[in-house]
């Protein structure tokens, strides 16, 4: 029998959910959210060749969903590696379909379809996918890190992704989702579905150091009792809080849950059924009901349990289609794990998960002994040097190639223009709509460039704190630095050069973005 929805979720679907969403937004505004890809994949995502995402490829910045799609479609092929650094709020209003040979996108949803070797990572003040989900379809080697996905609905307006915050379907392989926040504001009756779903032959996935909150359904593996092609999923160091059920639901396949913190699982928790095998190690369950078993079916599932803590957990009586594992859970199968891992004692899981799980937490991880650490950021091969270089003070010689070129950018403040950076006048300028943004100069044919001069308007000097120069044709980082002035980089033939301002003390005012051949 299906248990009634508790009052607790309905209460948090209103004021409580809004408070949690606000807290997440405040967290994302901290400087700790600015880390690029950090650490390496863990769990089952390390198998089947491993999961590296866009490592080794170009790095580009996106502040809209359309720009994410443009980055995917601008690659040489559907498997060209790329890391997309995302900042700001991604929603239906700024996410359009983009066409190209290397992509298959759709409006109103982030579409990672029929592609491979892609990383999406939140940077700067954070990335929030608001009422808009992330599709992964017929794709492989995907990394999603340091982002928030919230309030995705399957009905009403706006609508996308079948209601799933992150959904994987149709021959998906090797996905690592790490340090993310997945939030809803209610259950199915309020228009929400799953937070983290895997269907139709999805394998080798890890969800780590993430939060899943305020949802009727945490997530599932397999869409029906006969759809048993999914498996090899790892869940570790995640927080499940105020979830009715599916934490997760497993139909067939193998899953490993270790060092997760489950709080207020209102109806049921880990639901292993239809022959699924769950290895459940050193988790902490608190103030919850029926946290492990086979529920709402007569198709039995199995589990191997060890080292778990059950703190104020209640258990229902068994029925033909409802078989909790408690009140004293014991193993009824064995599961062999092919990868190495370290277990925190379950008693310290609440503290470790509280310090590490979610976006904007500084990318901290467990050290495997009840303490936390920050791993070394993954090097970006396209960066010319491991540390930013300050521009040199020497004025370059030769013609300013920006004069007469075209210009565009990511945004512009009222009263400013992209063209002001290449008009030769220090009395006009371009400003982004906020404190960060990009402006480009572009040519009709490939042009050799090796130096650039960033010149701030009078009265606005010193505002630019950090920037990157990007090859606008490929997205590759040519140089990075702090402050305005002249910088050199290896001579590059390109049609577009982009100044990407990543940090500023106030709205920057770029009077001229000069470019030179030498």
């Amino acid at each position: 029998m299906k248990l009634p929805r508790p009052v607790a979720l309905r209460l948090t679907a209103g004021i409580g959910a809004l408070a949690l969403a606000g807290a997440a937004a405040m967290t994302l505004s901290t400087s700790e959210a600015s880390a690029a890809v950090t650490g390496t994949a863990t769990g089952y995502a390390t198998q089947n060749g491993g999961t590296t995402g866009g490592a080794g490829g170009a790095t580009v910045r996106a502040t809209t969903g359309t720009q994410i799609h443009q980055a995917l479609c601008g690659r040489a092929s559907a498997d060209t590696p790329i890391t997309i650094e995302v900042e700001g709020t991604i929603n239906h209003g700024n996410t359009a379909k983009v066409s190209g040979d290397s992509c298959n996108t759709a409006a109103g949803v982030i579409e990672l379809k029929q592609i491979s070797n892609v990383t999406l990572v939140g940077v700067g003040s954070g990335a929030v996918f608001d009422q808009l989900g992330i599709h992964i379809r017929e794709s492989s080697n995907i990394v999603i890190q340091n982002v928030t996905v919230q309030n995705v609905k399957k009905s009403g307006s706006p609508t996308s992704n079948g209601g799933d915050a992150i959904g994987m379907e149709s021959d998906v392989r090797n996905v690592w989702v790490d340090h993310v926040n997945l939030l809803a504001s209610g259950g199915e009756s309020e228009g929400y579905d799953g937070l983290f779903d895997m269907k139709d032959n999805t394998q080798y996935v890890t969800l780590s150091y993430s939060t899943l909150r305020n949802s009727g359904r945490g997530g599932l593996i397999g869409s029906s009792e006969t759809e048993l092609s999914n498996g090899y999923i790892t869940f570790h160091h995640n927080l499940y809080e105020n979830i009715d059920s599916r934490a997760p639901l497993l139909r067939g396949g193998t899953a490993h849950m270790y060092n997760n913190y489950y709080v207020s699982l209102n109806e049921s928790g880990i639901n292993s059924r239809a022959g699924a095998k769950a290895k459940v190690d050193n988790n902490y369950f608190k103030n919850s009901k029926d946290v492990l078993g086979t529920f709402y079916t007569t198709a039995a599932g199995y589990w191997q349990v060890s080292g778990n803590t059950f703190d104020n957990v209640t258990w229902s009586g068994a029925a033909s289609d409802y078989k909790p594992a408690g009140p004293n859970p014991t193993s009824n199968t064995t599961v062999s794990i092919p990868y190495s891992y370290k277990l925190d004692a379950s008693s310290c899981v609440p503290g470790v998960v509280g310090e590490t799980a979610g976006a904007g937490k500084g990318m901290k991880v467990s050290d495997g002994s009840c303490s936390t650490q920050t791993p070394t950021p993954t090097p970006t091969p396209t960066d010319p040097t491991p540390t930013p270089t300050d521009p040199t003070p020497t004025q370059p010689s030769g013609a300013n190639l920006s004069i007469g070129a075209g210009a565009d950018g990511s945004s512009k403040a009222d009263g400013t223009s992209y063209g002001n950076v290449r008009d030769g006048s220090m009395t006009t300028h371009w400003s982004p709509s906020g404190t960060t943004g990009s402006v480009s100069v572009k040519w009709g044919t490939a042009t050799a460039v090796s130096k650039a001069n960033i010149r701030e308007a009078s009265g606005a000097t010193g505002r630019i704190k950090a920037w990157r120069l990007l090859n606008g044709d490929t997205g590759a980082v040519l140089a990075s630095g702090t402050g305005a002035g002249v910088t050199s980089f290896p001579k590059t033939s390109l049609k577009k050069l982009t100044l990407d301002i990543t940090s500023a003390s106030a709205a920057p005012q770029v009077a001229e973005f000069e470019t030179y051949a030498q």
Side-chain angles (χ1 to χ4, degrees), residues 41 44-53 140-142 173-175 204:
Y44 274 115
T46 64
Q47 305 299 292
N48 191 43
T51 305
T52 57
S140 63
N141 195 24
I142 306 295
R173 292 290 185 276
N174 291 87
V175 177
Y204 302 106

Side-chain angles (χ1 to χ4, degrees), residues 328-382:
N328 297 300
T330 58
S331 301
N332 56 18
T333 191
T334 58
V335 181
S336 177
I337 300 299
Y339 52 82
S340 62
Y341 61 99
K342 293 182 178 180
L343 287 172
D344 291 307
S346 62
S347 59
C348 65
V349 164
V352 170
V353 170
E355 189 174 345
T356 59
K361 285 291 189 73
M363 311 303 286
K364 292 181 179 179
V365 298
S366 166
D367 66 357
S369 59
C370 290
S371 297
T372 64
Q373 61 187 5
T374 301
T376 302
T378 302
T380 304
T382 52

Side-chain angles (χ1 to χ4, degrees), residues 42-47 204-206 232-234 254 256 336-339:
T42 55
Y44 274 115
T46 64
Q47 305 299 292
Y204 302 106
V205 176
T206 295
Y232 309 116
I233 317 297
T234 300
T254 299
H256 186 198
S336 177
I337 300 299
Y339 52 82

